[in-house]
Amino acid sequence: MDWNLTADQQMVVDMVRDFATNELKPLAAHLDRTGEFPLENLRKMAALGLMGMNVPAEYGGSPVGAVAFSLALSEVARACASTSCTMTVTNMVAEAINHFGTEEQRLAFIPKVVGGDYPIGSFCLTESQSGSDAAALSTKAVRDGQSWVLNGSKIFISHGAYASVLVVWARTSDAPKAKGISCFMVERGTPGLIIGKHEDKMGLRGSNTVSLTFDNCRIPLGNLLGEENGGFKIAMMALDGGRIGISSQAVGIMQAALDLSVEYAKIRQQFGQAIGRFEAIQWMIANMATELEAARSLTLRAAWLKENRQPFSQEASMAKLYSSEAVNRAVKNAVQIYGGYGYTKEYPVERLFRDARVTTLYEGTSEIQRLVIARQLIEE
Ligand code: COS
């Protein structure tokens, strides 16, 4: 077993770390405070190839593999968790179009997702009555002449107000639950696509989250992705990959929490010495570092399986489950180490505490990850 990164993977890490440290980190507190969306930085990231890291170059991607993607995403999350949210979802959308689209669809849509003025893709699955139970969605699409007409609403859509292409799941038959769902691509500005309420979130405040309404939203027949009534599997397969992304994001936030904790433990003086000399603080830092390594290993193993075209659904859920729970323990301890200062917005651990919270919720709660893992153990 070789744990070393390849020269190409190391190059990606070095490039992204440099970019994230210089361009993303300095803006992270501002985005958190103002809720501004970092469009300019996302365009720079697209120019560096970070929005289509697993799609071929002929569609505007820069295929470096799932492992390099995971490493890059962790570097971005370490600097700015909000920006990493947009990066992971956009990569997930680009990959889904690449995997399930026709050649014509790939050429038409992927370059818009990974480049251009809005190098952003949205994943529109969740509805007010279908979160964990994704197959219960009720948005409808009906065929009308040369069009599909979409009606319904989605909620909690990451960067939905800025996406160039939105992949949208809708019911296309009366068949029960998962069997009657199809997947569509809707372009930014399509009449009938209405951007709704902007969520005022606890964390990831620099990643725009909106509700969407489809009001007789008419799209060409050719915007159906994959097979009619075969859309649910697209969502599930995309989420398998997406969960490696969220796990990588959690690893990045954890690394930031550890960096800040170690730095502060060395300089903060109490009882005549640096607090890092007290065992109480050392144990917190040791646990944080150990759990970070465990989270990183699980994440990279899932990414490696994906890259090597082996089944990875269970491993992606294990990685996401562990990393997301562990990052929440890490940020809690980072605030503890900073004491009262950690509870103020002057210190970045307060932002990390809020940013980390969503990782056990989105792209499948911890409970859904356990369900996916247990089902594969018990039912297969
Ligand atoms: N890859 C490929 N196909 C999959 C799959 C996967 N990972 N998971 C399920 N499927 C297929 C099943 O094989 C089944 O196909 P058949 O009808 O041909 O047998 C179909 O999809 C339905 O699967 P299942 O019966 O398991 O669906 P459930 O309604 O029980 O839902 C869970 C399964 C709970 C795993 C799913 O609803 C889920 O992931 N929920 C969480 C959704 C989520 O993460 N939302 C966040 C949105 S983004 S913030």
Side-chain angles (χ1 to χ4, degrees), residues 52 55-56 59-61 93-99 102 104-115 164-165 185:
V55 295
Y59 313 123
V93 168
E95 278 187 53
I97 300 174
N98 183 50
H99 193 104
T102 61
E104 200 180 333
Q105 289 176 328
R106 291 190 195 116
L107 287 166
F109 292 101
I110 298 176
K112 290 178 185 156
V113 175
V114 305
S164 57
V165 178
M185 292 170 288

Side-chain angles (χ1 to χ4, degrees), residues 123 125-126 131-132 134-135 178-179 232-233 236-237 239-240 243 313 362-364 368 371-372 375:
F123 188 88
L125 180 67
T126 302
S132 291
K179 300 214 182 299
F232 192 70
K233 281 188 188 170
M236 291 299 104
M237 288 171 73
L239 281 169
D240 284 343
R243 287 166 185 161
S313 171
Y362 69 172
E363 298 203 13
I368 289 295
L371 180 149
V372 169
R375 270 190 186 179

Side-chain angles (χ1 to χ4, degrees), residues 78 250-266 281-294 296 326-327 329-335 337-338 348-349 352:
R78 183 179 184 179
V251 165
I253 300 172
M254 244 172 135
Q255 181 71 62
L258 178 65
D259 295 344
L260 289 164
S261 298
V262 168
E263 184 186 299
Y264 194 68
K266 286 188 199 166
I281 304 296
Q282 290 173 359
W283 283 31
M284 279 191 254
I285 287 177
N287 285 345
M288 217 186 275
T290 305
E291 294 196 2
L292 171 59
E293 279 315 303
R296 203 192 309 275
V327 71
R329 289 190 287 273
V331 292
K332 174 175 173 282
N333 280 335
V335 170
I337 289 167
Y338 274 70
V349 288
L352 299 185

Side-chain angles (χ1 to χ4, degrees), residues 31-346:
L31 298 182
D32 177 61
R33 207 167 40 249
T34 61
E36 228 172 71
F37 188 68
L39 195 51
E40 277 315 311
N41 272 343
L42 293 164
R43 287 175 179 150
K44 287 183 197 166
M45 288 167 66
L48 291 173
L50 300 182
M51 296 316 217
M53 298 185 78
N54 274 310
V55 295
E58 58 261 43
Y59 313 123
S62 37
V64 289
V67 170
F69 165 71
S70 168
L71 294 163
L73 191 66
S74 293
E75 291 299 332
V76 170
R78 183 179 184 179
C80 177
S82 290
T83 306
S84 72
C85 169
T86 310
M87 177 178 162
T88 186
V89 178
T90 298
N91 272 274
M92 174 166 67
V93 168
E95 278 187 53
I97 300 174
N98 183 50
H99 193 104
F100 293 98
T102 61
E103 179 65 2
E104 200 180 333
Q105 289 176 328
R106 291 190 195 116
L107 287 166
F109 292 101
I110 298 176
K112 290 178 185 156
V113 175
V114 305
D117 281 348
Y118 293 90
I120 296 153
S122 273
F123 188 88
C124 310
L125 180 67
T126 302
E127 299 182 1
S128 59
Q129 300 305 317
S130 63
S132 291
D133 187 5
L137 64 86
S138 66
T139 292
K140 281 201 164 48
V142 292
R143 212 190 280 256
D144 181 29
Q146 288 308 301
S147 310
W148 287 101
V149 181
L150 274 59
N151 278 290
S153 297
K154 300 284 174 182
I155 61 164
F156 301 155
I157 303 304
S158 295
H159 42 259
Y162 294 92
S164 57
V165 178
L166 303 96
V167 287
V168 181
W169 281 267
R171 198 157 282 292
T172 39
S173 106
D174 292 333
K177 297 204 79 178
K179 300 214 182 299
I181 294 171
S182 301
C183 180
F184 300 93
M185 292 170 288
V186 178
E187 293 201 51
R188 178 183 173 73
T190 303
L193 164 61
I194 299 161
I195 312 293
K197 179 179 156 219
H198 178 155
E199 298 296 342
D200 191 7
K201 306 191 299 293
M202 173 193 284
L204 299 188
R205 295 182 61 81
S207 88
N208 159 276
T209 307
V210 292
S211 59
L212 298 174
T213 299
F214 299 90
D215 181 13
N216 285 321
C217 180
R218 190 173 283 273
I219 55 172
L221 282 185
N223 286 24
L224 171 74
L225 184 65
E227 292 186 6
E228 189 173 339
N229 298 321
F232 192 70
K233 281 188 188 170
I234 301 180
M236 291 299 104
M237 288 171 73
L239 281 169
D240 284 343
R243 287 166 185 161
I244 297 176
I246 304 307
S247 190
S248 312
Q249 177 184 54
V251 165
I253 300 172
M254 244 172 135
Q255 181 71 62
L258 178 65
D259 295 344
L260 289 164
S261 298
V262 168
E263 184 186 299
Y264 194 68
K266 286 188 199 166
I267 57 168
R268 172 70 173 165
Q269 299 278 325
Q270 288 294 278
F271 302 102
Q273 59 181 355
I275 59 170
R277 297 188 71 87
F278 292 107
E279 201 174 66
I281 304 296
Q282 290 173 359
W283 283 31
M284 279 191 254
I285 287 177
N287 285 345
M288 217 186 275
T290 305
E291 294 196 2
L292 171 59
E293 279 315 303
R296 203 192 309 275
S297 298
L298 283 169
T299 308
L300 291 176
R301 163 135 171 92
W304 184 89
L305 289 170
K306 178 171 184 248
E307 185 164 319
N308 287 282
R309 300 183 193 287
Q310 295 182 35
F312 67 93
S313 171
Q314 191 185 36
E315 288 78 3
S317 282
M318 286 176 171
K320 200 240 178 210
L321 170 63
Y322 183 79
S323 305
S324 63
E325 297 286 340
V327 71
N328 277 286
R329 289 190 287 273
V331 292
K332 174 175 173 282
N333 280 335
V335 170
Q336 195 66 24
I337 289 167
Y338 274 70
Y341 292 114
Y343 195 60
T344 71
K345 290 189 185 293
E346 244 174 85

